[in-house]
Every structure is written in C-alpha cells, then in structure tokens.
Amino acid sequence: MCIRDRGLFIAGAIFAAAFDIYDMICLFFKKWTDMGYLLNDSCPRGPTKFWLIMTMHHMTSALTVIPMTRHLGDNLDYHLIAFSLLSAAGVCYGTGQYKFTLDITTRPGMVQVKLIALIQFVAIVLTRAYIWVTSGTRMFYVLGPLTATHPELNGAYFGGIFMSLFNLVMVLDATSQAVKWVMHPMPGMGEAAAAQKKKTG
C-alpha cells in the first residue's frame, strides 16, 4: 500500500503519541516540582492517583503507537483501535465540558446530564471494552511472529497490559457515573415525595 493511502492515519497516530509524551513530561513537572510556571500553568498540583493513571496511559501510548505505526501501519485492527479510542476520548471530553454548563436544579438540565452519562457509558464500553478486547486479541496474534525480527514491538505487549488496566478504570468510572446520574431523582421529585409522605403520615 502506498504511503499516501495511510498518511493521515500515520500522522494522526504520531501526533497523538507526541502529545502524550509532552503531556507526561508536563504532568511530571507540575506534580513533583514547583516549575509549573515554566509551562504557564498556575493550576494546583493534582492528586497522585491521577498522575499515576495518566502516566500509565501516556507510557502505553509511547511504547505501543510508535513501533506499531512503523511496522503495522496497514493493519485494520490497529486502525480501528486507535481511531475508536481517540474518538471516544473526544466524545467524552466534549460532552463532559458541556455538562459543566448545565443547571441540574432544573428538569431540562438534569435530563441532559442523564443523557450525557448514558452516551459516555456507551462510548466507553463500546470502544474500551468491546473493540479493545476483540481487535486487541487479533493484534496479539499478529504481533507474535513479528517480534523476532522487530524486537521493539515487544513494547506493545507491555503497552497492551497497561492500556487494559487503564481501560478497566475508565469502564468502571463510566459505569459508576451512569448509575449515579440515571438513578438521580429529577428536580422537585424529592420535595414532592416528602410532601406526600408527610400528608399520608
């Protein structure tokens, strides 16, 4: 296959890995030093758990994307995994930012929050559970014969383990958020139930 037929995918994969490496360095400086001002960042230091999770994600990207893009740039499962994970991240980030603008004390606001929680849950489970497991399993069978001649691809095994752990964390978080918001009472329902209980009691 000619390079121009897959050029956009390769460029996108490399740019995504480069950003993860840059962000991992920034997170290190912001977490463990007082040099955040060099990055024009005045945000307070994040919790250690967040730093560990994001570092795990970014190291996975560096270990996996660069060698696999070099040797498996034509593999359809690799294309599907990379595209679906980045798409899910975009959907969840975009809807999450919009969610912060909603007023959950109103009925329309709460309905939208519930819908967003369901959209994020479906996106995460579809990409980070179903596609990751099915396409990832096929990828492992493809990697086996190639590691003898291209040992740098062994990093993909470690990357796969770390990304599986990260995906598990994301699925659990999306599930808890979906349950939390779907089960959350609509505005006014709590007051109405209390009034009815007082009336009948």
Side-chain angles (χ1 to χ4, degrees):
M1 180 179 288
C2 183
I3 187 66
R4 66 172 176 268
D5 295 330
R6 56 176 183 166
L8 287 177
F9 171 78
I10 290 177
I14 295 299
F15 279 133
F19 173 79
D20 284 343
I21 293 172
Y22 158 78
D23 194 48
M24 183 169 60
I25 295 171
C26 292
L27 287 172
F28 174 83
F29 277 103
K30 289 189 287 186
K31 174 61 184 176
W32 301 109
T33 74
D34 295 318
M35 300 174 64
Y37 68 90
L38 294 176
L39 306 169
N40 294 321
D41 192 332
S42 59
C43 295
R45 296 181 181 180
T48 301
K49 183 169 67 173
F50 175 80
W51 177 79
L52 286 172
I53 291 174
M54 294 310 297
T55 300
M56 180 173 64
H57 173 275
H58 294 344
M59 288 181 62
T60 297
S61 178
L63 286 171
T64 306
V65 170
I66 296 174
M68 289 187 64
T69 302
R70 170 67 179 85
H71 300 291
L72 292 167
D74 293 326
N75 186 280
L76 294 180
D77 283 311
Y78 177 44
H79 283 230
L80 180 60
I81 290 173
F83 178 78
S84 64
L85 294 186
L86 289 173
S87 297
V91 168
C92 292
Y93 182 80
T95 55
Q97 294 302 302
Y98 174 70
K99 185 171 69 175
F100 288 131
T101 68
L102 299 174
D103 183 2
I104 62 173
T105 63
T106 65
R107 191 175 185 87
M110 180 57 70
V111 169
Q112 292 182 74
V113 168
K114 290 175 180 288
L115 182 60
I116 287 172
L118 289 175
I119 291 173
Q120 292 176 337
F121 172 76
V122 171
I124 291 294
V125 171
L126 177 63
T127 58
R128 296 191 178 274
Y130 176 72
I131 292 178
W132 174 255
V133 171
T134 55
S135 294
T137 301
R138 290 191 292 266
M139 286 296 303
F140 268 70
Y141 284 108
V142 172
L143 283 172
L146 297 176
T147 54
T149 54
H150 304 292
E152 64 273 17
L153 285 172
N154 284 302
Y157 288 110
F158 295 100
I161 294 172
F162 289 136
M163 184 58 78
S164 295
L165 294 174
F166 180 82
N167 288 342
L168 177 61
V169 171
M170 295 300 293
V171 169
L172 293 176
D173 179 69
T175 302
S176 66
Q177 289 296 310
V179 172
K180 170 187 173 181
W181 289 113
V182 170
M183 300 302 293
H184 197 285
M186 296 296 291
M189 290 183 63
E191 294 81 353
Q196 182 65 25
K197 181 178 180 180
K198 182 178 180 180
K199 181 178 179 180
T200 57

